[in-house]
Amino acid sequence: EAQVTQNPRYLITVTGKKLTVTCSQNMNHEYMSWYRQDPGLGLRQIYYSMNVEVTDKGDVPEGYKVSRKEKRNFPLILESPSPNQTSLYFCASRTGVGGKQYFGPGTRLTVT
Amino acid sequence: ILNVEQSPQSLHVQEGDSTNFTCSFPSSNFYALHWYRWETAKSPEALFVMTLNGDEKKKGRISATLNTKEGYSYLYIKGSQPEDSATYLCAFSQAGTALIFGKGTTLSVSS
């Protein structure tokens, strides 16, 4: 089954404790992205990747890191999480600029 | 800063009504326009991707049109059903760049 998976689905952590949210897709897509969704602000892009070892900042990259060492994986790293990073995070992938984008199930992160 | 505007922000219709929403985007350097359907507690699901001016796409009772010269797209739902209740997102991209999402139109259909 074609899918995008994210782990964990739910995470409660404390300020400053490094964490990684994993994202994996099995569709051989070139493009992968991370978004955060906050009430009233819609979906905002954090980082995106056009292929292995190619990443670029989205609208709200501060406080986040990503890597794309393999085509299928695109982890999101929060080196020192802060409460303003409490949000719902989505990973997504697509074949190219004009391809349909497939979203993962979401990760709800709470930073206290 | 590129901006995508969707209107209305929300609307409520009765079962059987037909409705439409608007997505406005920058008309310069257009590459693609996406429509997504997002149900509560689920992930956004792609409906359409349109790349050519004048494109029309249809999926069941839902259809979309695209005008890249004036920078807008319409999404139409014919004979709305309660299961159509969701937030409908549009997203725009220029060549080789990220998708920029609007804030969505939330549709509620009463039976």
Side-chain angles (χ1 to χ4, degrees), chain B residues 21-65:
Chain B
F21 328 131
T22 304
C23 173
S24 300
F25 53 86
S27 56
S28 60
N29 299 320
F30 173 87
Y31 192 90
L33 191 286
H34 298 226
W35 279 101
Y36 293 84
R37 170 192 161 87
W38 193 1
E39 293 181 72
T40 303
K42 294 187 177 181
S43 303
E45 177 189 357
L47 289 171
F48 307 116
V49 179
M50 295 183 287
T51 56
L52 298 175
N53 184 43
D55 252 355
E56 292 188 23
K57 299 276 187 177
K58 187 174 181 182
K59 183 178 181 179
R61 294 178 291 99
I62 304 177
S63 60
T65 61

Side-chain angles (χ1 to χ4, degrees), chain A residues 31 35 37 40-41 43 45 48 50 90 94 97-101 103-105, chain B residues 31-32 34 36 38 43-44 46-47 49 89 93-94 96-99 101 103:
Chain A
Y31 279 68
Y35 299 90
Q37 194 266 330
L41 296 177
L43 275 174
Q45 190 161 60
Y48 65 101
M50 290 180 280
F90 286 101
R94 55 192 165 116
V97 180
K100 281 187 180 181
Q101 183 158 254
F103 283 82
Chain B
Y31 192 90
H34 298 226
Y36 293 84
W38 193 1
S43 303
L47 289 171
V49 179
L89 300 172
S93 69
Q94 295 176 325
T97 65
L99 273 178
F101 280 82
K103 293 183 181 179

